[in-house]
Amino acid sequence: MEYNRLADVKRLQFIIHTLKQHLPEGATVLDVGCGNGIIARGLGEEGFQVYGIDVSHKAIEKARSLTHMPHVTFDVISAEALVADGNRYHAVICSEVLEHLNHPEKLLDVLYQSLTDDGVLIVTVPNGMGPREVLVTKPVIALQQKDNWLWKCLLKLKALMGYKGTTVQSDADNLTHVQFFSKQSLENLAGKTRFKIVRFGKTNFIDDVFPFSFFTKKIRILQKWDGALAEVLPYQLTGSFVTVWTKNLPVGLAVLIAEKS
């Protein structure tokens, strides 16, 4: 397990559990925006065949260098290129991707075409109204846009603390959040792109919000308690949404698929 934070482990376990429920034997999982391949490798260790794609050459190079499983492969291509090859997948993962896109509906339209009619799309995104995004991400973005002395001081402080501007999930150059989803707006986006969300899950509460993060990084039991607390709190207070999407098909076609399964 490459993840250090229990919230990340929880997200990966949600994905694994969903795939084991829905994936036909021998099927390949498509990981869109796979970054450094950490989720793909986690799935590979469970025996899944995984095809990871990303537009970042830097991230894919790292994914390939860290991956030594023949059934887990990576390519530098855009999701749009998938439509041209005509392949369709029973399971597609889009984890921590949509929040970086100015027009997430364009990617979701492509994923709709890339998914089999009875397939599942697993989407994970930060809760745009959650503690981390409200107390950390949004203020930092506001400072960055001003580019004043305070932002420059923050950059120096982050450098002194060893912050490199990347995450364990991706070495891509630009990881800025431009979308801040609520539960309702995510459901609206799904409906707009001909999907429906059939399952919502939660990750954490405040274990990644400073100053709490200073302690939770060192004391893992605090992360466990924080994750348990998130499960009993309203969805508005979770750090991230982990969700399962299916195609919103016409009634007749949906019934036919259900009868075959």
Side-chain angles (χ1 to χ4, degrees):
M1 183 67 69
E2 296 180 61
Y3 282 126
N4 292 318
R5 291 180 58 243
L6 292 184
D8 293 329
V9 174
K10 193 174 179 181
R11 183 188 302 114
L12 179 58
Q13 289 175 339
F14 177 94
I15 294 171
I16 290 171
H17 177 72
T18 301
L19 293 180
K20 286 182 175 180
Q21 283 184 316
H22 294 278
L23 202 64
E25 186 175 348
T28 298
V29 180
L30 175 66
D31 186 2
V32 175
C34 65
N36 297 341
I38 189 167
I39 288 178
R41 283 189 295 279
L43 297 179
E45 290 171 356
E46 293 287 328
F48 294 108
Q49 296 194 45
V50 188
Y51 180 43
I53 65 169
D54 203 292
V55 295
S56 170
H57 288 266
K58 187 186 297 185
I60 291 297
E61 285 178 10
K62 185 165 185 178
R64 286 173 172 165
S65 70
L66 294 174
T67 306
H68 307 288
M69 291 174 277
H71 54 289
V72 180
T73 58
F74 302 96
D75 273 326
V76 182
I77 62 171
S78 67
E80 289 77 6
L82 293 172
V83 177
D85 68 18
N87 289 328
R88 295 211 298 170
Y89 299 85
H90 283 90
V92 179
I93 298 168
C94 186
S95 180
E96 310 303 291
V97 174
L98 297 183
E99 67 272 18
H100 302 291
L101 304 179
N102 288 312
H103 301 286
E105 68 278 1
K106 292 183 178 180
L107 174 59
L108 290 169
D109 284 338
V110 170
L111 298 186
Y112 187 95
Q113 297 176 66
S114 302
L115 190 68
T116 60
D117 287 341
D118 59 344
V120 290
L121 169 64
I122 303 173
V123 175
T124 79
V125 293
N127 174 11
M129 307 303 160
R132 167 77 181 185
E133 297 292 89
V134 170
L135 299 175
V136 179
T137 304
K138 290 180 179 179
V140 168
I141 290 174
L143 280 177
Q144 183 179 9
Q145 291 173 342
K146 292 180 179 179
D147 195 25
N148 56 16
W149 65 270
L150 190 56
W151 169 247
K152 292 173 183 176
C153 289
L154 181 60
L155 283 178
K156 290 180 181 179
L157 179 61
K158 289 165 73 176
L160 288 173
M161 296 176 67
Y163 179 80
K164 298 179 180 178
T166 60
T167 68
V168 66
Q169 189 140 319
S170 179
D171 275 18
D173 293 321
N174 187 357
L175 296 175
T176 303
H177 293 184
V178 296
Q179 302 289 342
F180 297 92
F181 297 104
S182 65
K183 185 174 183 288
Q184 184 62 60
S185 68
L186 194 62
E187 290 177 319
N188 291 343
L189 178 62
K192 180 181 177 182
T193 52
R194 297 175 292 166
F195 285 102
K196 60 181 177 181
I197 302 178
V198 296
R199 184 182 173 196
F200 264 94
K202 305 170 184 177
T203 54
N204 62 325
F205 176 40
I206 56 172
D207 78 322
D208 55 356
V209 177
F210 188 83
F212 304 103
S213 57
F214 179 81
F215 300 99
T216 57
K217 283 182 180 179
K218 302 176 184 298
I219 309 172
R220 286 178 65 84
I221 190 65
L222 295 179
Q223 294 183 35
K224 186 174 181 179
W225 290 343
D226 184 80
L229 180 59
E231 291 298 325
V232 300
L233 290 173
Y235 275 103
Q236 290 85 347
L237 295 177
T238 184
S240 297
F241 299 121
V242 286
T243 63
V244 180
W245 303 28
T246 59
K247 287 187 173 183
N248 198 3
L249 299 169
V251 175
L253 182 55
V255 170
L256 181 62
I257 291 172
E259 289 175 349
K260 289 183 177 180
S261 61

